[in-house]
Amino acid sequence: MGYRNIKSTFPAGHYYFSGNEALTEGAIAAGCRYYAGYPITPSSEIMERISVRFKDVNGVFMQMEDELASICSVIGAVWAGAKAMTATSGPGFSLMQEAIGYAALTETPLVIADIQRAGPGTGQATRVASGDLMQAKWGSHGDYSIIALSPWSVQEMYDQAINAFNLAEQYRVPVFVMGEEAIGHLRERIEVKAKTTVFDRIKKKGAPPFGTNQDDAIPPMPSFGEGEKLLVTGSTHNEIGIRKTDDPNVHSRLVNRINKKILNNRDRIIQTDSYHLKDVEVIVVSYGFTARSALFAVEQLRKEGKKVGLLRLKTIWPFADKIIFDIGQKAKKIFVPEMNRGQIAGEIMKYATCEVIPYNQTNGEIIHPHRIIKELRSIL
Amino acid sequence: MARDLEEYLRPGIDSTPFCPGCGHGILMNLILRAIDGLKISMDEMLFVSGIGCAAWIPSPNFNADTLHTLHGRAIVFATGAKMFNPKLNVMVISGDGDLTSIGGNHLIHAARRNIDLTVICANNMIYGMTGGQVASTSPLGALTSTTMDGNRYRPFDLCKLVLGAGAPYVARYSVTQPLLLVSAIKKSLGIHGFTFIEVLSPCPTQFGRRNRYDSSADMLKNLMERCISREEADNFSDDELKDKIVTGEFMNE
Ligand SMILES: Cc1ncc(C[n+]2csc(CCOP(=O)(O)OP(=O)(O)O)c2C)c(N)n1
């Protein structure tokens, strides 16, 4: 239970993988042994590789009739003891939202890879976007908190898949790997290490599975078949799982705890990378594929002596509010290039004290480094 | 509920959540009788339900692992649990609206895949919990809160539907046929594969009062008169069968 190092499932070494392949191997290395999914571009390669690789590791793979079935069967498998995941893209992610709220309220650890494509609607199925970030946060009804990660490379698709499972298990929460089409289909060299650090679900016989005496703690999680006579319900419940559908105290305690257990631990959860943040006038805040272009642009302008730096968000939710406040104190301007209509720029505006300049592109293409250079020149 | 079944109830449960005259309470009793009859340990049972009055039969009442899920999704939650841990004996108990309307797609696919589940559908021919709206199982002409001038669409024949989807064992009984029902539940628990039992269960509160039944006893009497066996049905003309409900076991060879 807790963190331990185990032998990696894939032999240590260097591999030339696509992002979707790397994510699949990362999930298997983290201990994923149940996968249910439904085909959708640009995520399908994950399910295809799982269907082959699960034979080597004794995993259970189900291609279900739709995304509602996929996510719900994942939740069922998790309570039966599995580390489990599904992968999808926009339309499928939309269909999963009701069950995501169920998972948040029942504190069910699971991983969803959303390989984002250009929406809304069916949009452009094969084209890239980062348009699902607010949906990841607010997609289901009611107040809840999840964790969302934003990989920028094939290596990170592998590493963040492992991280996603570990965070899910540690905090008993749905974790989303918010990939983008461009990362899912990119091919790069990655390194698989000999050892993988994994987190195994905390169990404590007889302990209440849905409550603690702290208002931000994570209760231990038993599985079906262990004689615990578990009561799992998506209705408001007390610490042993009994429905309490009209008790205001039970409801507020539960809703507060499932949010606080994430928000109060955000310093531990949030990961960022920074480049040239000393002696800086303009800071680019970026994430996912766009951060690759942003880094190229920043390095180029630095060579010209321009006072520009980059903060890369590896974790989108919970949001890096304190870090954004800090860089806002240092910089004159924050520049936020995004493949959406400003979903994260709006969030940055909540916490930054300096001017925030969004740059938005929703044409189904990546944001080219030269575009960012041009925009930065005009504000430097 | 009879004292001898008390050990199957979660400690602290001392009353039924159902309206007077509701058939779901009888069904609850009969499910436990079947389990008791087979001497299955509640430690190996997992009860999965959706949303609706019927979904409250196991949750929180049964003293076993229970998974009370989303509206329509009980069968797919159950599929995940069963596929990952085949040692679990998984029974799905839910309503007709839940399993056959919003969850209809999962029902036919689980039957097609022959997932090893026992599915019990408490069919009260109406959406009970939400106030008596028309369901995919409401009879033609039924008066409901959304069909004040009578239901215009024919209901599903659930047994034919699930049999057509490939389930090896399907049965239909009413709560007024307790012995046959217990034996069908026992049988389905012994079959390795997807089994489906449609249980007719009267809803006096939502169906009865709108459709001019004087009392819940009247609804039970009506079910007793209308439910006939497959053998009896063989001797009835199509016209005579119109008002009858054919009960029994239906099997794919
Ligand atoms: C997605 C969703 N839609 C609608 C509802 C509201 N709802 C709750 S119970 C129910 C009907 C249940 O009917 P049935 O399954 O026939 O069970 P009964 O109450 O009649 O036993 C509905 C529509 C819901 N909970 N979730």
Side-chain angles (χ1 to χ4, degrees), chain A residues 6-9 24-33 158 162 196 198:
Chain A
I6 58 167
K7 193 164 167 276
S8 298
T9 41
T24 310
E25 287 306 328
I28 293 171
C32 177
R33 293 295 179 271
Y158 181 84
I162 297 169
T196 306
V198 299

Side-chain angles (χ1 to χ4, degrees), chain A residues 33-34 60 62-66 68-69 72-73 75-77 80-82 98-99 102 224-225 227 229-234 243, chain B residues 10 42-43 46 56 59-60 63-71 73 76-77 79-81 83-85 88 105-106 109 113 115:
Chain A
R33 293 295 179 271
Y34 184 88
V60 179
M62 294 293 288
Q63 182 174 324
M64 297 300 284
E65 55 272 23
D66 56 32
L68 306 148
C72 292
S73 82
I75 299 173
E98 187 195 13
Y102 180 95
F224 296 141
K229 319 260 187 209
L230 266 170
L231 257 175
V232 182
T233 171
R243 270 197 310 280
Chain B
R10 198 173 283 276
M42 286 296 254
D43 278 349
L46 167 63
W56 286 16
S59 165
N63 196 21
D65 286 331
T66 59
L67 178 60
H68 194 160
T69 69
L70 295 168
H71 192 28
R73 315 290 161 221
V76 278
F77 276 84
T79 299
M83 294 309 292
F84 188 73
N85 182 358
L88 296 169
N105 199 28
H106 307 315
H109 282 278
R113 294 189 185 106
I115 307 284

Side-chain angles (χ1 to χ4, degrees), chain A residues 98, chain B residues 24 51-55 71 94-99 102 122 124 126-130:
Chain A
E98 187 195 13
Chain B
H24 292 0
I51 296 289
C53 301
H71 192 28
S94 223
D96 49 308
D98 187 84
L99 288 168
I102 188 169
N124 54 11
I126 203 155
Y127 288 104
M129 184 167 271
T130 42

